[in-house]
């Protein structure tokens, strides 16, 4: 199920039935993420954000699916591909603007970068600066509803 609702912008809503389908959707989503982009990935713990990034990274030839892991403890993972450098960022453990500043995320932004930020909604600036927002919701053990908008 895929729908485009606005001729001037992006609005997609899809239901995936497995991790493999979520990865596959990430691969197709990469076509819409030509750098530079700031992408917010929203969803509860275990919603599939990192699973989606596996497909995006593979499509950009920046990392093999099995090499993409959650940046929960390292906070930032960098994946370099021939067309873009992806930064998979997890702000779950970041609570203050001061802590955010220490990450130097502004230094990662370039004409060749795609920032994929988990938990970015905690900081209003990312809600304003985002180019794309992807919301993942659990619909069952393996099903995920994925909503993409700009």
């Amino acid at each position: 199920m895929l729908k485009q609702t606005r001729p001037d912008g992006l609005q997609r809503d899809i239901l995936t039935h497995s991790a493999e389908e979520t990865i596959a959707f990430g691969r197709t989503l990469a076509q819409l993420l030509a750098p530079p982009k700031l992408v917010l990935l929203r969803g509860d713990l275990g919603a599939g954000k990192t699973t989606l990034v596996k497909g995006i990274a593979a499509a950009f030839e920046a990392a093999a699916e099995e090499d993409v892991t959650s940046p929960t403890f390292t906070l930032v993972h960098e994946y370099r591909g021939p067309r873009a450098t992806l930064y998979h960022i997890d702000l779950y453990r970041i609570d203050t603007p001061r802590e955010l500043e220490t990450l130097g995320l502004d230094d990662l932004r370039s004409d060749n970068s795609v920032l994929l930020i988990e938990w970015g909604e905690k900081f209003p600036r990312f809600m304003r600066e985002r180019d794309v927002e992807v919301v993942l919701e659990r619909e069952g053990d393996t099903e995920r509803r994925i909503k993409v908008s700009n």
Side-chain angles (χ1 to χ4, degrees):
M1 170 174 137
L2 189 59
K3 62 183 178 182
Q4 184 100 16
T5 59
R6 293 189 316 233
D8 64 333
L10 174 70
Q11 179 68 42
R12 292 183 179 214
D13 186 339
I14 186 170
L15 182 66
T16 62
H17 302 283
S18 65
E20 292 77 18
E21 283 186 19
T22 300
I23 291 169
F25 181 69
R27 285 179 176 271
T28 63
L29 185 59
Q31 299 169 12
L32 306 171
L33 302 180
K37 285 283 187 292
L38 191 151
V39 181
L40 289 188
L41 302 172
R42 297 181 64 181
D44 293 335
L45 291 171
K49 298 179 294 291
T50 296
T51 303
L52 185 73
V53 172
K54 288 176 181 277
I56 295 169
F60 274 105
E61 299 173 23
E65 294 169 7
E66 60 271 11
D67 293 333
V68 174
T69 59
S70 175
T72 300
F73 296 103
T74 56
L75 305 180
V76 179
H77 285 172
E78 178 180 342
Y79 304 108
R80 290 185 179 266
R83 298 182 322 269
T85 299
L86 306 183
Y87 295 97
H88 185 194
I89 302 158
D90 189 326
L91 301 180
Y92 183 75
R93 299 181 184 284
I94 302 299
D95 295 317
T96 67
R98 178 121 172 97
E99 289 175 318
L100 182 65
E101 279 181 37
T102 65
L103 294 179
L105 298 184
D106 289 330
D107 295 335
L108 303 179
R109 297 184 84 171
S110 72
D111 290 342
N112 191 40
S113 69
V114 177
L115 276 63
L116 302 160
I117 304 177
E118 296 187 24
W119 304 100
E121 69 272 14
K122 293 170 61 176
F123 299 94
R125 77 171 263 209
F126 293 126
M127 294 299 291
R128 289 189 307 271
E129 295 174 10
R130 76 176 192 269
D131 296 301
V132 177
E133 181 175 45
V134 181
V135 179
L136 295 97
E137 299 171 341
R138 294 176 76 126
E139 295 264 326
D141 289 339
T142 58
E143 292 84 15
R144 300 294 184 265
R145 170 131 348 254
I146 305 171
K147 298 176 184 174
V148 182
S149 60
N150 56 352

